[in-house]
Amino acid sequence: MIPKDHPRYRSLMVRERLSQCAKEGIVALEGLAAHGRGEAFDYLLGERTTPSALQAARTAAALLLTADRAVISVNGNTAALATAEVGALARASGAAVEVNLFHRTEERIRRITALLEEHGVDVLTGTPERLIPLSHDRAWCLPEGIGSADVVLVPLEDGDRCAALRAMGKQVITIDLNPLSRTARTATLTIVDELTRALPNITAACSELDSGTAARLAGSLDNAYLLRAAIEEIQERLDHALD
Amino acid sequence: MIPKDHPRYRSLMVRERLSQCAKEGIVALEGLAAHGRGEAFDYLLGERTTPSALQAARTAAALLLTADRAVISVNGNTAALATAEVGALARASGAAVEVNLFHRTEERIRRITALLEEHGVDVLTGTPERLIPLSHDRAWCLPEGIGSADVVLVPLEDGDRCAALRAMGKQVITIDLNPLSRTARTATLTIVDELTRALPNITAACSELDSGTAARLAGSLDNAYLLRAAIEEIQERLDHALD
């Protein structure tokens, strides 16, 4: 039992939730290490949504709202940590939800789909095809999902697949706490923020933006600026780290 | 199978090794996330031993050589990643080796001891007592090991226990990639470097230092300076991150 007054209570509870989901086969063991990497960068960002991350979340809402077909790609960590938040964003944005895994097994797809459906999320079904230009299991996606989407929101994506989706001409929105990662630099738009903070910010912006503002925001997207701002936030904190 | 020419080959192999050890009950699931946090900081440090980390490793050798009784405390991640390196350091420094776990179970103690012994490492045995001023299972250690040591090398330590060992009057040497962590700031000496790079550097210094140099190095220890140098290395890299 983690005491509620522990200074790291939230962080410890999240780790416990992920460990439990790993035991249940929802989260891959590799997903636990990936979460740790994110935690380190979140620590450096002050575990809060920075102004530039909020701006990125609003821009993400604009891309989703102005898309012809938007899809939210959900992996094990996302399902474990943000089931409700994914459902709320899908409803607010009109985006479809596809379960798509880096460490793909039919068993994990089934378990993650069940978890999302228990929380009232509509999940795309169909016959996956090898549509993404990558070797191995990472090539699979649904033709009626990511395969035909013009905008894909992929929280916690890997760099290779982000590049492959971009090469297919898709706009890729990612949520990645590491502003230096290949994913962060390859995506169309990177929200440098923690998943359960970023998703509700996108959802809120979906309700607020009128179509004119959405089109303007989508048109003025500058990912290099957003990444630089995130790095500057980290530098600012490091400057005062030992005060 | 991870291809040998993958740019992240070493890092991916290490993750695979840890996942395998987690399945075998040597590494705790929480240890996988902890490894991820270390990876993120190592990435920011350029995945190399910085000059200040080398200086810290030499100072660690000096503390071990001038100790009355030095003990190396080994946990699951250390055993999984650096069995041979721990053995070499124990031989070079004369330090004893104790298995001491944050997520303590007798089963894990037994497995980790067996893994070390398979690699020729002498591991302390005895009846653990609640000697460390902490609640729960983290209080246990061996009276003839950490309990009576004046210098303890604890790679990958947690902040609470580092503080408790300091409160017992012990000199604590830690290996921690996060120069901002509570452990890093509470320890007597922090080596901000990756475990399998740091341990051989300490071992090499044990062979090189004469007793006069060791006494001088131990006497001039300035951990705040070493931590500041590590933070400056990270800042330097961030300055050029998006060049």
Side-chain angles (χ1 to χ4, degrees):
Chain A
M1 280 294 294
I2 300 161
K4 278 208 172 170
D5 60 351
H6 193 290
R8 307 290 305 158
Y9 177 75
R10 197 185 131 67
S11 165
L12 294 171
M13 286 298 289
V14 167
R15 284 183 214 164
E16 198 164 273
R17 164 86 182 147
L18 279 175
S19 292
Q20 186 54 41
C21 286
K23 286 175 193 155
E24 292 171 9
I26 286 168
V27 165
L29 288 180
E30 293 80 357
L32 297 178
H35 178 74
R37 291 194 292 282
E39 275 191 313
F41 282 101
D42 200 18
Y43 182 91
L44 290 175
L45 285 160
E47 295 174 327
R48 76 210 149 91
T49 298
T50 63
S52 57
L54 186 59
Q55 184 184 340
R58 287 172 56 81
T59 309
L63 289 183
L64 292 172
L65 292 173
T66 57
D68 287 326
R69 176 148 183 81
V71 171
I72 304 169
S73 179
V74 173
N75 70 1
N77 282 32
T78 303
L81 297 180
T83 327
E85 290 86 348
V86 165
L89 177 57
R91 284 189 296 277
S93 67
V97 173
E98 174 172 342
V99 176
N100 201 285
L101 306 180
F102 186 89
H103 298 280
R104 186 185 186 98
T105 67
E106 288 314 307
E107 174 67 13
R108 283 188 65 227
I109 297 263
R110 206 178 50 70
R111 282 175 191 263
I112 292 166
T113 300
L115 178 65
L116 289 164
E117 287 177 344
E118 277 166 30
H119 286 77
V121 182
D122 284 330
V123 179
L124 286 173
T125 53
T127 309
E129 294 178 20
R130 289 182 165 281
L131 296 175
I132 307 172
L134 284 174
S135 60
H136 309 300
D137 289 347
R138 294 179 296 155
W140 296 97
C141 70
L142 294 175
E144 58 272 39
I146 291 170
S148 55
D150 57 336
V151 174
V152 186
L153 169 64
V154 209
L156 322 170
E157 178 56 305
D158 110 281
D160 270 1
R161 200 165 54 177
C162 184
L165 291 170
R166 294 284 295 126
M168 291 171 81
K170 299 179 192 304
Q171 293 196 294
V172 178
I173 307 166
T174 192
I175 301 174
D176 190 330
L177 279 156
N178 177 359
L180 310 176
S181 76
R182 218 148 54 80
T183 300
R185 299 168 71 166
T186 309
T188 310
L189 170 62
T190 304
I191 304 166
V192 183
D193 202 359
E194 192 272 331
L195 185 66
T196 65
R197 293 196 305 264
L199 290 174
N201 285 335
I202 310 173
T203 303
C206 282
S207 314
E208 287 160 24
L209 296 178
D210 60 56
S211 62
T213 313
R216 187 180 55 72
L217 266 177
S220 65
L221 162 57
D222 181 350
N223 206 43
Y225 163 80
L226 292 169
L227 293 180
R228 194 174 298 278
I231 291 170
E232 284 167 4
E233 295 277 358
I234 293 175
Q235 287 178 311
E236 181 77 16
R237 275 184 61 84
L238 287 172
D239 282 340
H240 302 288
L242 293 182
D243 288 355
Chain B
M1 279 295 293
I2 299 161
K4 278 210 171 168
D5 60 352
H6 193 291
R8 308 288 306 158
Y9 177 75
R10 196 184 132 68
S11 166
L12 293 171
M13 286 299 289
V14 167
R15 284 183 214 164
E16 198 164 272
R17 165 84 182 148
L18 279 175
S19 292
Q20 185 55 39
C21 286
K23 286 175 193 155
E24 292 171 10
I26 287 168
V27 165
L29 288 181
E30 293 80 357
L32 296 178
H35 178 73
R37 290 193 292 282
E39 275 192 313
F41 283 101
D42 200 18
Y43 182 92
L44 289 174
L45 285 160
E47 295 174 328
R48 75 209 150 89
T49 297
T50 63
S52 58
L54 186 59
Q55 185 184 339
R58 287 172 56 81
T59 309
L63 289 183
L64 293 173
L65 292 173
T66 57
D68 288 325
R69 176 148 183 79
V71 171
I72 305 170
S73 178
V74 173
N75 70 0
N77 282 33
T78 304
L81 297 180
T83 328
E85 289 86 346
V86 165
L89 177 57
R91 284 189 297 277
S93 67
V97 172
E98 174 173 343
V99 176
N100 201 284
L101 305 181
F102 187 89
H103 299 279
R104 187 185 185 99
T105 67
E106 288 314 307
E107 173 66 14
R108 283 188 65 227
I109 297 263
R110 207 178 49 70
R111 283 175 191 264
I112 292 166
T113 300
L115 177 64
L116 289 163
E117 287 177 345
E118 276 165 31
H119 285 77
V121 182
D122 284 331
V123 178
L124 286 173
T125 53
T127 309
E129 295 178 20
R130 289 184 165 280
L131 297 175
I132 307 172
L134 282 175
S135 61
H136 308 301
D137 290 346
R138 296 178 295 156
W140 296 98
C141 69
L142 294 174
E144 58 272 40
I146 291 170
S148 55
D150 58 335
V151 174
V152 185
L153 169 64
V154 208
L156 322 171
E157 179 56 303
D158 111 280
D160 269 0
R161 201 165 53 178
C162 185
L165 292 170
R166 294 285 294 126
M168 292 171 81
K170 299 179 191 304
Q171 292 196 296
V172 178
I173 307 166
T174 192
I175 302 174
D176 191 329
L177 279 156
N178 177 0
L180 310 177
S181 76
R182 217 149 55 81
T183 301
R185 299 168 71 165
T186 308
T188 310
L189 170 63
T190 305
I191 305 166
V192 183
D193 202 359
E194 193 272 329
L195 185 67
T196 64
R197 293 195 305 264
L199 290 174
N201 285 335
I202 309 173
T203 303
C206 282
S207 314
E208 287 161 24
L209 296 178
D210 60 57
S211 62
T213 312
R216 187 181 54 73
L217 266 175
S220 65
L221 163 57
D222 182 350
N223 206 42
Y225 163 80
L226 292 169
L227 293 180
R228 194 174 299 278
I231 290 169
E232 284 167 5
E233 294 278 358
I234 292 176
Q235 287 178 309
E236 180 78 15
R237 276 183 60 84
L238 286 172
D239 283 339
H240 301 288
L242 293 182
D243 288 353

